[in-house]
Amino acid sequence: MIVAGFGFRHGASLASLESALERATGGMIAVDALATLDGKTQQLAPLARKLALPLIAVGVGRLADQPVATRSPASMAAYGAGSVAEATALAALTQKGRLLAPRAFSSDRFASCALAESPAP
């Protein structure tokens, strides 16, 4: 299972979210679900509907324990994790998984997306 985790600013548009996903996947990786913080699911829901993918809400308390690859001082201060996108992707997996790559930013830098994969069953 591959989960695309998202971090984004309040004003991020659907185009911003699509751009972040496109940059994270390179247009070559299919994802099985989208994930973000539980307080931000309404903003990501249009993309989940458009792609017909499940949307996983992740509680902020689950972020700090995730082994992220990047460190944003703003993200650390606000959420206790170096990258919301990376941490939500990992936390949304039902089994312990791994990041496929560090977060990628949308062209307008309003959104970031990271992919995490759980081991094959």
Side-chain angles (χ1 to χ4, degrees), residues 44-99:
L44 190 56
L47 181 59
R49 282 191 300 272
K50 182 176 181 177
L51 300 175
L53 292 173
L55 178 55
I56 301 167
V58 174
V60 71
R62 296 182 54 210
L63 300 185
D65 294 334
Q66 303 304 323
V68 298
T70 61
R71 300 268 183 242
S72 160
S75 181
M76 283 298 296
Y79 302 107
S83 166
V84 171
E86 293 171 11
T88 57
L90 288 165
L93 295 172
T94 55
Q95 299 176 8
K96 185 174 180 160
R98 67 179 180 90
L99 285 175

mmCIF file of all heavy atoms in Angstrom, residues 44-99:
data_model
loop_
_atom_site.group_PDB
_atom_site.id
_atom_site.type_symbol
_atom_site.label_atom_id
_atom_site.label_comp_id
_atom_site.label_asym_id
_atom_site.label_seq_id
_atom_site.Cartn_x
_atom_site.Cartn_y
_atom_site.Cartn_z
ATOM 1 N N LEU A 44 -8.563 18.623 1.736
ATOM 2 C CA LEU A 44 -8.014 17.594 0.856
ATOM 3 C C LEU A 44 -9.101 16.725 0.233
ATOM 4 O O LEU A 44 -8.868 16.041 -0.762
ATOM 5 C CB LEU A 44 -7.014 16.720 1.638
ATOM 6 C CG LEU A 44 -6.168 15.733 0.856
ATOM 7 C CD1 LEU A 44 -5.366 16.418 -0.245
ATOM 8 C CD2 LEU A 44 -5.240 14.981 1.798
ATOM 9 N N ALA A 45 -10.301 16.770 0.774
ATOM 10 C CA ALA A 45 -11.403 15.925 0.303
ATOM 11 C C ALA A 45 -11.705 16.076 -1.193
ATOM 12 O O ALA A 45 -11.968 15.069 -1.857
ATOM 13 C CB ALA A 45 -12.660 16.170 1.126
ATOM 14 N N PRO A 46 -11.668 17.289 -1.760
ATOM 15 C CA PRO A 46 -11.944 17.383 -3.204
ATOM 16 C C PRO A 46 -10.963 16.576 -4.060
ATOM 17 O O PRO A 46 -11.363 15.969 -5.049
ATOM 18 C CB PRO A 46 -11.843 18.883 -3.493
ATOM 19 C CG PRO A 46 -12.173 19.536 -2.189
ATOM 20 C CD PRO A 46 -11.584 18.625 -1.151
ATOM 21 N N LEU A 47 -9.708 16.537 -3.666
ATOM 22 C CA LEU A 47 -8.733 15.746 -4.427
ATOM 23 C C LEU A 47 -9.012 14.257 -4.242
ATOM 24 O O LEU A 47 -8.949 13.493 -5.213
ATOM 25 C CB LEU A 47 -7.305 16.081 -4.001
ATOM 26 C CG LEU A 47 -6.194 15.331 -4.737
ATOM 27 C CD1 LEU A 47 -6.252 15.587 -6.248
ATOM 28 C CD2 LEU A 47 -4.824 15.707 -4.179
ATOM 29 N N ALA A 48 -9.329 13.847 -3.032
ATOM 30 C CA ALA A 48 -9.654 12.436 -2.793
ATOM 31 C C ALA A 48 -10.861 12.010 -3.627
ATOM 32 O O ALA A 48 -10.856 10.929 -4.220
ATOM 33 C CB ALA A 48 -9.915 12.204 -1.307
ATOM 34 N N ARG A 49 -11.874 12.870 -3.684
ATOM 35 C CA ARG A 49 -13.060 12.553 -4.503
ATOM 36 C C ARG A 49 -12.698 12.488 -5.983
ATOM 37 O O ARG A 49 -13.121 11.574 -6.701
ATOM 38 C CB ARG A 49 -14.158 13.584 -4.277
ATOM 39 C CG ARG A 49 -14.932 13.383 -2.993
ATOM 40 C CD ARG A 49 -16.180 14.253 -2.926
ATOM 41 N NE ARG A 49 -15.908 15.671 -3.000
ATOM 42 C CZ ARG A 49 -15.646 16.449 -1.948
ATOM 43 N NH1 ARG A 49 -15.615 15.940 -0.734
ATOM 44 N NH2 ARG A 49 -15.423 17.738 -2.101
ATOM 45 N N LYS A 50 -11.933 13.445 -6.440
ATOM 46 C CA LYS A 50 -11.542 13.491 -7.858
ATOM 47 C C LYS A 50 -10.784 12.234 -8.267
ATOM 48 O O LYS A 50 -10.981 11.707 -9.363
ATOM 49 C CB LYS A 50 -10.685 14.736 -8.118
ATOM 50 C CG LYS A 50 -10.272 14.911 -9.555
ATOM 51 C CD LYS A 50 -9.517 16.206 -9.757
ATOM 52 C CE LYS A 50 -9.129 16.370 -11.221
ATOM 53 N NZ LYS A 50 -8.455 17.646 -11.472
ATOM 54 N N LEU A 51 -9.932 11.735 -7.376
ATOM 55 C CA LEU A 51 -9.117 10.556 -7.672
ATOM 56 C C LEU A 51 -9.773 9.255 -7.229
ATOM 57 O O LEU A 51 -9.220 8.182 -7.450
ATOM 58 C CB LEU A 51 -7.747 10.696 -7.004
ATOM 59 C CG LEU A 51 -6.907 11.903 -7.430
ATOM 60 C CD1 LEU A 51 -5.640 11.989 -6.596
ATOM 61 C CD2 LEU A 51 -6.595 11.848 -8.915
ATOM 62 N N ALA A 52 -10.933 9.362 -6.587
ATOM 63 C CA ALA A 52 -11.656 8.200 -6.052
ATOM 64 C C ALA A 52 -10.768 7.377 -5.114
ATOM 65 O O ALA A 52 -10.694 6.152 -5.210
ATOM 66 C CB ALA A 52 -12.216 7.337 -7.186
ATOM 67 N N LEU A 53 -10.091 8.087 -4.197
ATOM 68 C CA LEU A 53 -9.212 7.447 -3.228
ATOM 69 C C LEU A 53 -9.709 7.703 -1.814
ATOM 70 O O LEU A 53 -10.290 8.754 -1.535
ATOM 71 C CB LEU A 53 -7.785 8.003 -3.353
ATOM 72 C CG LEU A 53 -7.031 7.670 -4.628
ATOM 73 C CD1 LEU A 53 -5.712 8.423 -4.684
ATOM 74 C CD2 LEU A 53 -6.778 6.163 -4.703
ATOM 75 N N PRO A 54 -9.460 6.769 -0.912
ATOM 76 C CA PRO A 54 -9.815 7.005 0.487
ATOM 77 C C PRO A 54 -8.953 8.117 1.077
ATOM 78 O O PRO A 54 -7.798 8.301 0.665
ATOM 79 C CB PRO A 54 -9.547 5.675 1.176
ATOM 80 C CG PRO A 54 -8.752 4.861 0.241
ATOM 81 C CD PRO A 54 -8.902 5.442 -1.126
ATOM 82 N N LEU A 55 -9.517 8.827 2.033
ATOM 83 C CA LEU A 55 -8.821 9.911 2.726
ATOM 84 C C LEU A 55 -8.667 9.508 4.183
ATOM 85 O O LEU A 55 -9.659 9.222 4.860
ATOM 86 C CB LEU A 55 -9.615 11.205 2.595
ATOM 87 C CG LEU A 55 -9.071 12.435 3.306
ATOM 88 C CD1 LEU A 55 -7.643 12.741 2.904
ATOM 89 C CD2 LEU A 55 -9.973 13.632 3.011
ATOM 90 N N ILE A 56 -7.438 9.483 4.648
ATOM 91 C CA ILE A 56 -7.135 9.056 6.011
ATOM 92 C C ILE A 56 -6.788 10.288 6.844
ATOM 93 O O ILE A 56 -5.890 11.056 6.479
ATOM 94 C CB ILE A 56 -5.965 8.062 6.029
ATOM 95 C CG1 ILE A 56 -6.301 6.837 5.176
ATOM 96 C CG2 ILE A 56 -5.605 7.667 7.461
ATOM 97 C CD1 ILE A 56 -5.116 5.941 4.880
ATOM 98 N N ALA A 57 -7.490 10.453 7.963
ATOM 99 C CA ALA A 57 -7.213 11.539 8.900
ATOM 100 C C ALA A 57 -6.228 11.040 9.949
ATOM 101 O O ALA A 57 -6.416 9.977 10.527
ATOM 102 C CB ALA A 57 -8.506 11.998 9.557
ATOM 103 N N VAL A 58 -5.184 11.818 10.188
ATOM 104 C CA VAL A 58 -4.142 11.444 11.150
ATOM 105 C C VAL A 58 -4.134 12.472 12.276
ATOM 106 O O VAL A 58 -4.056 13.675 12.021
ATOM 107 C CB VAL A 58 -2.758 11.390 10.461
ATOM 108 C CG1 VAL A 58 -1.654 11.138 11.472
ATOM 109 C CG2 VAL A 58 -2.749 10.340 9.363
ATOM 110 N N GLY A 59 -4.205 12.007 13.503
ATOM 111 C CA GLY A 59 -4.128 12.891 14.659
ATOM 112 C C GLY A 59 -2.726 13.444 14.833
ATOM 113 O O GLY A 59 -1.736 12.743 14.604
ATOM 114 N N VAL A 60 -2.640 14.698 15.240
ATOM 115 C CA VAL A 60 -1.345 15.356 15.395
ATOM 116 C C VAL A 60 -0.455 14.622 16.399
ATOM 117 O O VAL A 60 0.772 14.618 16.265
ATOM 118 C CB VAL A 60 -1.524 16.853 15.768
ATOM 119 C CG1 VAL A 60 -2.037 17.018 17.179
ATOM 120 C CG2 VAL A 60 -0.248 17.626 15.559
ATOM 121 N N GLY A 61 -1.041 13.945 17.365
ATOM 122 C CA GLY A 61 -0.267 13.200 18.346
ATOM 123 C C GLY A 61 0.505 12.030 17.766
ATOM 124 O O GLY A 61 1.428 11.522 18.400
ATOM 125 N N ARG A 62 0.152 11.596 16.573
ATOM 126 C CA ARG A 62 0.845 10.472 15.935
ATOM 127 C C ARG A 62 2.032 10.901 15.072
ATOM 128 O O ARG A 62 2.752 10.059 14.532
ATOM 129 C CB ARG A 62 -0.149 9.681 15.081
ATOM 130 C CG ARG A 62 -1.232 9.040 15.958
ATOM 131 C CD ARG A 62 -2.222 8.213 15.190
ATOM 132 N NE ARG A 62 -1.553 7.207 14.380
ATOM 133 C CZ ARG A 62 -2.046 6.743 13.233
ATOM 134 N NH1 ARG A 62 -3.205 7.183 12.779
ATOM 135 N NH2 ARG A 62 -1.402 5.822 12.551
ATOM 136 N N LEU A 63 2.255 12.201 14.944
ATOM 137 C CA LEU A 63 3.302 12.688 14.052
ATOM 138 C C LEU A 63 4.705 12.608 14.638
ATOM 139 O O LEU A 63 5.656 12.262 13.939
ATOM 140 C CB LEU A 63 3.027 14.132 13.626
ATOM 141 C CG LEU A 63 1.726 14.411 12.887
ATOM 142 C CD1 LEU A 63 1.681 15.857 12.452
ATOM 143 C CD2 LEU A 63 1.531 13.483 11.708
ATOM 144 N N ALA A 64 4.848 12.936 15.902
ATOM 145 C CA ALA A 64 6.177 13.097 16.500
ATOM 146 C C ALA A 64 7.028 11.833 16.445
ATOM 147 O O ALA A 64 8.253 11.917 16.368
ATOM 148 C CB ALA A 64 6.041 13.576 17.940
ATOM 149 N N ASP A 65 6.424 10.672 16.467
ATOM 150 C CA ASP A 65 7.179 9.415 16.483
ATOM 151 C C ASP A 65 7.595 8.921 15.105
ATOM 152 O O ASP A 65 8.255 7.887 14.999
ATOM 153 C CB ASP A 65 6.350 8.316 17.160
ATOM 154 C CG ASP A 65 6.114 8.602 18.633
ATOM 155 O OD1 ASP A 65 6.940 9.310 19.243
ATOM 156 O OD2 ASP A 65 5.102 8.126 19.159
ATOM 157 N N GLN A 66 7.225 9.625 14.061
ATOM 158 C CA GLN A 66 7.500 9.146 12.704
ATOM 159 C C GLN A 66 8.912 9.556 12.260
ATOM 160 O O GLN A 66 9.326 10.691 12.466
ATOM 161 C CB GLN A 66 6.463 9.688 11.719
ATOM 162 C CG GLN A 66 5.043 9.332 12.074
ATOM 163 C CD GLN A 66 4.824 7.838 12.216
ATOM 164 O OE1 GLN A 66 5.386 7.030 11.480
ATOM 165 N NE2 GLN A 66 3.991 7.457 13.185
ATOM 166 N N PRO A 67 9.656 8.644 11.626
ATOM 167 C CA PRO A 67 11.027 8.918 11.191
ATOM 168 C C PRO A 67 11.075 9.673 9.860
ATOM 169 O O PRO A 67 11.237 9.086 8.792
ATOM 170 C CB PRO A 67 11.632 7.520 11.056
ATOM 171 C CG PRO A 67 10.464 6.652 10.675
ATOM 172 C CD PRO A 67 9.273 7.243 11.393
ATOM 173 N N VAL A 68 10.898 10.975 9.907
ATOM 174 C CA VAL A 68 10.859 11.778 8.685
ATOM 175 C C VAL A 68 12.262 12.077 8.172
ATOM 176 O O VAL A 68 13.238 11.999 8.915
ATOM 177 C CB VAL A 68 10.070 13.092 8.915
ATOM 178 C CG1 VAL A 68 8.631 12.791 9.285
ATOM 179 C CG2 VAL A 68 10.716 13.953 9.979
ATOM 180 N N ALA A 69 12.339 12.417 6.891
ATOM 181 C CA ALA A 69 13.622 12.669 6.243
ATOM 182 C C ALA A 69 14.014 14.143 6.248
ATOM 183 O O ALA A 69 15.185 14.469 6.117
ATOM 184 C CB ALA A 69 13.579 12.159 4.803
ATOM 185 N N THR A 70 13.034 15.033 6.378
ATOM 186 C CA THR A 70 13.327 16.460 6.317
ATOM 187 C C THR A 70 12.900 17.145 7.608
ATOM 188 O O THR A 70 12.098 16.610 8.376
ATOM 189 C CB THR A 70 12.633 17.131 5.113
ATOM 190 O OG1 THR A 70 11.225 16.978 5.237
ATOM 191 C CG2 THR A 70 13.093 16.521 3.804
ATOM 192 N N ARG A 71 13.415 18.334 7.828
ATOM 193 C CA ARG A 71 13.130 19.080 9.062
ATOM 194 C C ARG A 71 12.781 20.530 8.745
ATOM 195 O O ARG A 71 13.628 21.293 8.320
ATOM 196 C CB ARG A 71 14.339 19.075 9.996
ATOM 197 C CG ARG A 71 14.784 17.701 10.415
ATOM 198 C CD ARG A 71 14.108 17.296 11.715
ATOM 199 N NE ARG A 71 14.604 15.996 12.131
ATOM 200 C CZ ARG A 71 13.835 14.940 12.254
ATOM 201 N NH1 ARG A 71 12.566 15.008 12.009
ATOM 202 N NH2 ARG A 71 14.343 13.792 12.630
ATOM 203 N N SER A 72 11.544 20.864 8.977
ATOM 204 C CA SER A 72 11.095 22.245 8.847
ATOM 205 C C SER A 72 10.930 22.821 10.251
ATOM 206 O O SER A 72 10.160 22.274 11.050
ATOM 207 C CB SER A 72 9.745 22.296 8.116
ATOM 208 O OG SER A 72 9.085 23.523 8.378
ATOM 209 N N PRO A 73 11.625 23.913 10.576
ATOM 210 C CA PRO A 73 11.459 24.520 11.898
ATOM 211 C C PRO A 73 10.002 24.916 12.179
ATOM 212 O O PRO A 73 9.525 24.746 13.298
ATOM 213 C CB PRO A 73 12.374 25.743 11.860
ATOM 214 C CG PRO A 73 13.407 25.411 10.832
ATOM 215 C CD PRO A 73 12.686 24.581 9.806
ATOM 216 N N ALA A 74 9.303 25.415 11.171
ATOM 217 C CA ALA A 74 7.906 25.814 11.360
ATOM 218 C C ALA A 74 7.033 24.598 11.666
ATOM 219 O O ALA A 74 6.158 24.644 12.540
ATOM 220 C CB ALA A 74 7.391 26.538 10.125
ATOM 221 N N SER A 75 7.256 23.503 10.961
ATOM 222 C CA SER A 75 6.496 22.281 11.193
ATOM 223 C C SER A 75 6.809 21.704 12.570
ATOM 224 O O SER A 75 5.916 21.233 13.284
ATOM 225 C CB SER A 75 6.807 21.250 10.105
ATOM 226 O OG SER A 75 6.072 20.078 10.305
ATOM 227 N N MET A 76 8.071 21.755 12.960
ATOM 228 C CA MET A 76 8.453 21.263 14.292
ATOM 229 C C MET A 76 7.747 22.070 15.375
ATOM 230 O O MET A 76 7.220 21.504 16.333
ATOM 231 C CB MET A 76 9.974 21.346 14.490
ATOM 232 C CG MET A 76 10.750 20.262 13.786
ATOM 233 S SD MET A 76 10.373 18.581 14.343
ATOM 234 C CE MET A 76 10.911 18.637 16.032
ATOM 235 N N ALA A 77 7.724 23.382 15.219
ATOM 236 C CA ALA A 77 7.102 24.233 16.226
ATOM 237 C C ALA A 77 5.593 24.032 16.293
ATOM 238 O O ALA A 77 5.011 23.994 17.373
ATOM 239 C CB ALA A 77 7.424 25.704 15.929
ATOM 240 N N ALA A 78 4.956 23.881 15.157
ATOM 241 C CA ALA A 78 3.498 23.784 15.118
ATOM 242 C C ALA A 78 2.976 22.379 15.402
ATOM 243 O O ALA A 78 1.929 22.222 16.037
ATOM 244 C CB ALA A 78 2.979 24.258 13.757
ATOM 245 N N TYR A 79 3.690 21.354 14.943
ATOM 246 C CA TYR A 79 3.158 19.994 14.982
ATOM 247 C C TYR A 79 4.066 18.963 15.647
ATOM 248 O O TYR A 79 3.678 17.801 15.769
ATOM 249 C CB TYR A 79 2.816 19.522 13.569
ATOM 250 C CG TYR A 79 1.832 20.421 12.881
ATOM 251 C CD1 TYR A 79 2.233 21.272 11.864
ATOM 252 C CD2 TYR A 79 0.496 20.432 13.265
ATOM 253 C CE1 TYR A 79 1.320 22.111 11.239
ATOM 254 C CE2 TYR A 79 -0.417 21.278 12.650
ATOM 255 C CZ TYR A 79 0.010 22.106 11.639
ATOM 256 O OH TYR A 79 -0.894 22.937 11.032
ATOM 257 N N GLY A 80 5.293 19.341 15.989
ATOM 258 C CA GLY A 80 6.201 18.391 16.616
ATOM 259 C C GLY A 80 6.797 17.383 15.659
ATOM 260 O O GLY A 80 7.307 16.347 16.074
ATOM 261 N N ALA A 81 6.727 17.661 14.374
ATOM 262 C CA ALA A 81 7.297 16.787 13.347
ATOM 263 C C ALA A 81 8.029 17.644 12.321
ATOM 264 O O ALA A 81 7.595 18.747 12.005
ATOM 265 C CB ALA A 81 6.202 15.979 12.658
ATOM 266 N N GLY A 82 9.112 17.108 11.802
ATOM 267 C CA GLY A 82 9.900 17.856 10.827
ATOM 268 C C GLY A 82 9.198 18.080 9.510
ATOM 269 O O GLY A 82 9.470 19.035 8.798
ATOM 270 N N SER A 83 8.265 17.186 9.164
ATOM 271 C CA SER A 83 7.500 17.302 7.919
ATOM 272 C C SER A 83 6.121 16.698 8.141
ATOM 273 O O SER A 83 6.014 15.494 8.408
ATOM 274 C CB SER A 83 8.200 16.566 6.777
ATOM 275 O OG SER A 83 7.317 16.416 5.667
ATOM 276 N N VAL A 84 5.089 17.495 8.007
ATOM 277 C CA VAL A 84 3.724 16.986 8.153
ATOM 278 C C VAL A 84 3.423 15.986 7.039
ATOM 279 O O VAL A 84 2.837 14.936 7.286
ATOM 280 C CB VAL A 84 2.698 18.139 8.166
ATOM 281 C CG1 VAL A 84 1.278 17.605 8.084
ATOM 282 C CG2 VAL A 84 2.876 18.986 9.416
ATOM 283 N N ALA A 85 3.830 16.292 5.826
ATOM 284 C CA ALA A 85 3.557 15.389 4.702
ATOM 285 C C ALA A 85 4.183 14.018 4.940
ATOM 286 O O ALA A 85 3.523 12.984 4.793
ATOM 287 C CB ALA A 85 4.072 15.995 3.396
ATOM 288 N N GLU A 86 5.439 13.986 5.303
ATOM 289 C CA GLU A 86 6.132 12.717 5.521
ATOM 290 C C GLU A 86 5.549 11.974 6.723
ATOM 291 O O GLU A 86 5.299 10.766 6.653
ATOM 292 C CB GLU A 86 7.629 12.972 5.723
ATOM 293 C CG GLU A 86 8.304 13.495 4.475
ATOM 294 C CD GLU A 86 9.732 13.954 4.706
ATOM 295 O OE1 GLU A 86 10.297 13.690 5.795
ATOM 296 O OE2 GLU A 86 10.298 14.582 3.796
ATOM 297 N N ALA A 87 5.324 12.688 7.816
ATOM 298 C CA ALA A 87 4.819 12.052 9.034
ATOM 299 C C ALA A 87 3.401 11.515 8.852
ATOM 300 O O ALA A 87 3.085 10.418 9.330
ATOM 301 C CB ALA A 87 4.876 13.027 10.203
ATOM 302 N N THR A 88 2.534 12.251 8.146
ATOM 303 C CA THR A 88 1.174 11.749 7.950
ATOM 304 C C THR A 88 1.165 10.541 7.014
ATOM 305 O O THR A 88 0.393 9.607 7.223
ATOM 306 C CB THR A 88 0.197 12.823 7.420
ATOM 307 O OG1 THR A 88 0.690 13.365 6.202
ATOM 308 C CG2 THR A 88 -0.034 13.910 8.434
ATOM 309 N N ALA A 89 2.015 10.544 6.007
ATOM 310 C CA ALA A 89 2.089 9.383 5.112
ATOM 311 C C ALA A 89 2.478 8.134 5.901
ATOM 312 O O ALA A 89 1.861 7.080 5.751
ATOM 313 C CB ALA A 89 3.085 9.643 3.986
ATOM 314 N N LEU A 90 3.470 8.252 6.755
ATOM 315 C CA LEU A 90 3.915 7.110 7.556
ATOM 316 C C LEU A 90 2.874 6.702 8.594
ATOM 317 O O LEU A 90 2.593 5.522 8.778
ATOM 318 C CB LEU A 90 5.245 7.437 8.244
ATOM 319 C CG LEU A 90 6.460 7.500 7.313
ATOM 320 C CD1 LEU A 90 7.626 8.183 8.003
ATOM 321 C CD2 LEU A 90 6.844 6.103 6.858
ATOM 322 N N ALA A 91 2.289 7.678 9.271
ATOM 323 C CA ALA A 91 1.314 7.384 10.331
ATOM 324 C C ALA A 91 0.036 6.762 9.775
ATOM 325 O O ALA A 91 -0.650 6.027 10.483
ATOM 326 C CB ALA A 91 0.985 8.656 11.107
ATOM 327 N N ALA A 92 -0.290 7.032 8.535
ATOM 328 C CA ALA A 92 -1.518 6.506 7.936
ATOM 329 C C ALA A 92 -1.416 5.033 7.554
ATOM 330 O O ALA A 92 -2.439 4.381 7.348
ATOM 331 C CB ALA A 92 -1.890 7.325 6.699
ATOM 332 N N LEU A 93 -0.216 4.518 7.473
ATOM 333 C CA LEU A 93 -0.042 3.102 7.129
ATOM 334 C C LEU A 93 -0.510 2.223 8.280
ATOM 335 O O LEU A 93 -0.305 2.545 9.446
ATOM 336 C CB LEU A 93 1.424 2.805 6.828
ATOM 337 C CG LEU A 93 2.020 3.495 5.599
ATOM 338 C CD1 LEU A 93 3.523 3.263 5.546
ATOM 339 C CD2 LEU A 93 1.352 3.006 4.330
ATOM 340 N N THR A 94 -1.109 1.091 7.950
ATOM 341 C CA THR A 94 -1.569 0.173 8.996
ATOM 342 C C THR A 94 -0.411 -0.651 9.561
ATOM 343 O O THR A 94 -0.504 -1.163 10.662
ATOM 344 C CB THR A 94 -2.669 -0.769 8.460
ATOM 345 O OG1 THR A 94 -2.167 -1.444 7.311
ATOM 346 C CG2 THR A 94 -3.914 0.015 8.094
ATOM 347 N N GLN A 95 0.649 -0.787 8.800
ATOM 348 C CA GLN A 95 1.871 -1.459 9.262
ATOM 349 C C GLN A 95 3.009 -0.465 9.163
ATOM 350 O O GLN A 95 2.944 0.487 8.383
ATOM 351 C CB GLN A 95 2.210 -2.652 8.372
ATOM 352 C CG GLN A 95 1.165 -3.719 8.328
ATOM 353 C CD GLN A 95 1.572 -4.815 7.323
ATOM 354 O OE1 GLN A 95 2.664 -4.820 6.799
ATOM 355 N NE2 GLN A 95 0.664 -5.733 7.076
ATOM 356 N N LYS A 96 4.056 -0.700 9.927
ATOM 357 C CA LYS A 96 5.221 0.173 9.841
ATOM 358 C C LYS A 96 5.773 0.120 8.419
ATOM 359 O O LYS A 96 5.936 -0.947 7.844
ATOM 360 C CB LYS A 96 6.288 -0.263 10.839
ATOM 361 C CG LYS A 96 7.447 0.675 10.882
ATOM 362 C CD LYS A 96 8.418 0.322 11.972
ATOM 363 C CE LYS A 96 9.554 1.321 11.941
ATOM 364 N NZ LYS A 96 10.280 1.361 13.177
ATOM 365 N N GLY A 97 6.007 1.292 7.853
ATOM 366 C CA GLY A 97 6.482 1.353 6.479
ATOM 367 C C GLY A 97 7.695 2.245 6.344
ATOM 368 O O GLY A 97 8.365 2.556 7.328
ATOM 369 N N ARG A 98 7.923 2.662 5.115
ATOM 370 C CA ARG A 98 9.090 3.505 4.827
ATOM 371 C C ARG A 98 8.696 4.595 3.850
ATOM 372 O O ARG A 98 7.780 4.435 3.032
ATOM 373 C CB ARG A 98 10.220 2.669 4.256
ATOM 374 C CG ARG A 98 9.900 2.107 2.877
ATOM 375 C CD ARG A 98 11.045 1.282 2.308
ATOM 376 N NE ARG A 98 10.718 0.765 0.999
ATOM 377 C CZ ARG A 98 10.961 1.406 -0.152
ATOM 378 N NH1 ARG A 98 11.558 2.563 -0.158
ATOM 379 N NH2 ARG A 98 10.619 0.861 -1.316
ATOM 380 N N LEU A 99 9.417 5.712 3.926
ATOM 381 C CA LEU A 99 9.236 6.780 2.942
ATOM 382 C C LEU A 99 9.859 6.348 1.628
ATOM 383 O O LEU A 99 10.941 5.752 1.608
ATOM 384 C CB LEU A 99 9.921 8.064 3.406
ATOM 385 C CG LEU A 99 9.246 8.855 4.501
ATOM 386 C CD1 LEU A 99 10.125 10.032 4.919
ATOM 387 C CD2 LEU A 99 7.881 9.354 4.058
#
